Amino acid sequence: DLLEEEDAEEDLVGRHPIVTVMGHVDHGKTSLLDYVRKANVIAGEAGSITQHIGAYEVGLDDGRKITFLDTPGHEAFTAMRARGAKVTDVVIIVIAADDSVMPQTIEAINHAQAAGVPMVFAFNKMDKQGASADKIREQLANMNILVEEWGGKFQTQEISAKSGMGVDDLLDKVLLEAELLDLKANPEKKALGTVIEAAMEKGRGVVTTVLIQAGTLRVGEPILAGQFSGRVKALFNERGKKIEKAGPATPVQVLGMQGAPQAGDRFNAVETEQEAKDIATRRQQLQREQGLRTQKH
Ligand code: GDP
């Protein structure tokens, strides 16, 4: 039931990158995401309350944008990858320079490499005494990851997520990495994307955060995610503002799913509610059959 078709080259339009921050616990992922979010609230919306929806968009002074997946830790990334979802264009690997490469750093690097996603390294906590970026460069070299300043291909940036030192340069490097990927999507078709998270909320029903990857999602459209169907009742951006539509590389909260899909599930807008229901039912059946088969074995 794959609802994907090839796009004609002339329908493709440049889109901004989707970025995930990974690294060892306490190395500063949350601090970096918080700093970036506070420093880069999209112009005209400063001061508005931002709610946590698992992903957000930041705008730089020069008009360029980045969408951050605000789900630090590997769980989200791993869950999505387990479902075959590829949402991230670039991974920032955060390494605290007072602690250097740790087991979860290695895990993060392995994940990114297995997924074929380019990495930019952020050497964090450079404001701390005893911080050593060179020690990290050496550790990485021992893992066959040669950083640019040592003649390799991997970009690095020394930062302090606490003071913000170096963070703008880090974002520049991420955008440079993204430019090399020449990211494009067709905004003119039915939306397709990936579920970031979904939950039942009192008075709102199922609230599904979706990262739109191609096409444009509009209020009123029949939708399908994982084993559930529905119809878009309302759309909200990460600032809690009601919107009418959402295009490629945009995170959006969707109201109107009839059940809660899982992180990493594929999301599609379709032509008719009947089509959405039929595919959802077929997927539920398949799931039941698979369940029976594994029980027998
Ligand atoms: P996470 O587990 O990777 O999300 O790490 P956090 O962002 O929660 O940071 C862990 C701790 O390190 C917190 O106490 C932060 O205040 C601190 N921290 C994060 N970044 C920096 C930094 O650049 N400099 C200093 N001095 N402390 C930092």
Side-chain angles (χ1 to χ4, degrees):
D1 60 22
L2 257 196
L3 297 153
E4 249 171 283
E5 50 194 74
E6 287 276 325
D7 292 297
E9 188 60 39
E10 66 266 25
D11 294 333
L12 293 174
V13 177
R15 65 164 176 86
H16 58 271
I18 298 157
V19 174
T20 306
V21 175
M22 295 175 86
H24 197 73
V25 64
D26 281 346
H27 278 201
K29 299 178 291 294
T30 312
S31 305
L32 175 61
L33 283 163
D34 285 350
Y35 182 86
V36 166
R37 174 184 234 160
K38 283 194 195 109
N40 296 281
V41 178
I42 287 176
E45 307 203 47
S48 62
I49 300 157
T50 31
Q51 57 183 121
H52 172 89
I53 73 161
Y56 61 89
E57 222 173 65
V58 298
L60 307 192
D61 290 341
D62 58 10
R64 293 182 299 173
K65 283 185 186 175
I66 302 177
T67 294
F68 276 93
L69 287 187
D70 187 6
T71 43
H74 314 266
E75 299 83 17
F77 196 83
T78 315
M80 285 187 205
R81 238 169 48 80
R83 295 193 169 71
K86 191 184 173 240
V87 278
T88 308
D89 300 307
V90 178
V91 171
I92 297 176
I93 305 277
V94 175
I95 307 174
D98 62 340
D99 198 29
S100 64
V101 173
M102 285 288 139
Q104 287 170 295
T105 317
I106 298 171
E107 220 174 277
I109 292 170
N110 289 342
H111 277 314
Q113 285 185 325
V117 180
M119 299 177 278
V120 174
F121 290 89
F123 302 156
N124 190 31
K125 307 199 188 182
M126 288 307 294
D127 60 287
K128 280 183 105 169
Q129 248 186 358
S132 166
D134 264 339
K135 186 178 168 201
I136 304 175
R137 291 185 182 101
E138 197 176 320
Q139 287 177 316
L140 291 175
N142 290 335
M143 298 171 67
N144 277 325
I145 293 171
L146 205 55
V147 300
E148 223 173 41
E149 42 301 13
W150 286 9
K153 66 169 181 178
F154 291 95
Q155 297 190 88
T156 71
Q157 179 63 45
E158 298 182 12
I159 65 164
S160 166
K162 204 168 192 175
S163 73
M165 185 267 293
V167 174
D168 283 348
D169 292 328
L170 175 66
L171 298 186
D172 269 338
K173 288 177 181 178
V174 167
L175 283 162
L176 181 67
E177 204 67 47
E179 262 167 44
L180 299 175
L181 299 171
D182 195 23
L183 302 166
K184 286 179 177 168
N186 176 2
E188 300 297 339
K189 60 180 179 183
K190 288 273 178 231
L192 59 97
T194 299
V195 173
I196 305 297
E197 58 190 27
M200 205 45 204
E201 275 183 33
K202 227 181 176 168
R204 298 177 89 196
V206 177
V207 179
T208 311
T209 301
V210 178
L211 184 65
I212 305 297
Q213 290 168 282
T216 299
L217 182 66
R218 293 184 168 81
V219 173
E221 286 182 322
I223 47 175
L224 172 72
Q227 300 180 20
F228 300 101
S229 62
R231 181 183 281 278
V232 182
K233 271 199 273 184
L235 297 172
F236 295 90
N237 68 13
E238 77 261 28
R239 284 160 215 103
K241 193 176 149 218
K242 227 173 168 155
I243 51 175
E244 283 303 307
K245 57 179 186 171
T250 312
V252 65
Q253 267 194 341
V254 181
L255 268 56
M257 286 294 300
Q258 278 169 1
Q262 289 181 286
D265 276 343
R266 204 101 191 87
F267 176 94
N268 289 89
V270 292
E271 290 293 339
T272 66
E273 222 157 340
Q274 193 56 50
E275 184 187 358
K277 271 188 193 145
D278 288 347
I279 298 174
T281 308
R282 207 155 63 224
R283 287 179 181 173
Q284 282 168 16
Q285 255 162 10
L286 265 173
Q287 178 78 17
R288 270 198 300 275
E289 283 164 22
Q290 271 166 3
L292 284 177
R293 255 200 306 272
T294 43
Q295 268 175 23
K296 276 184 195 154
H297 286 284

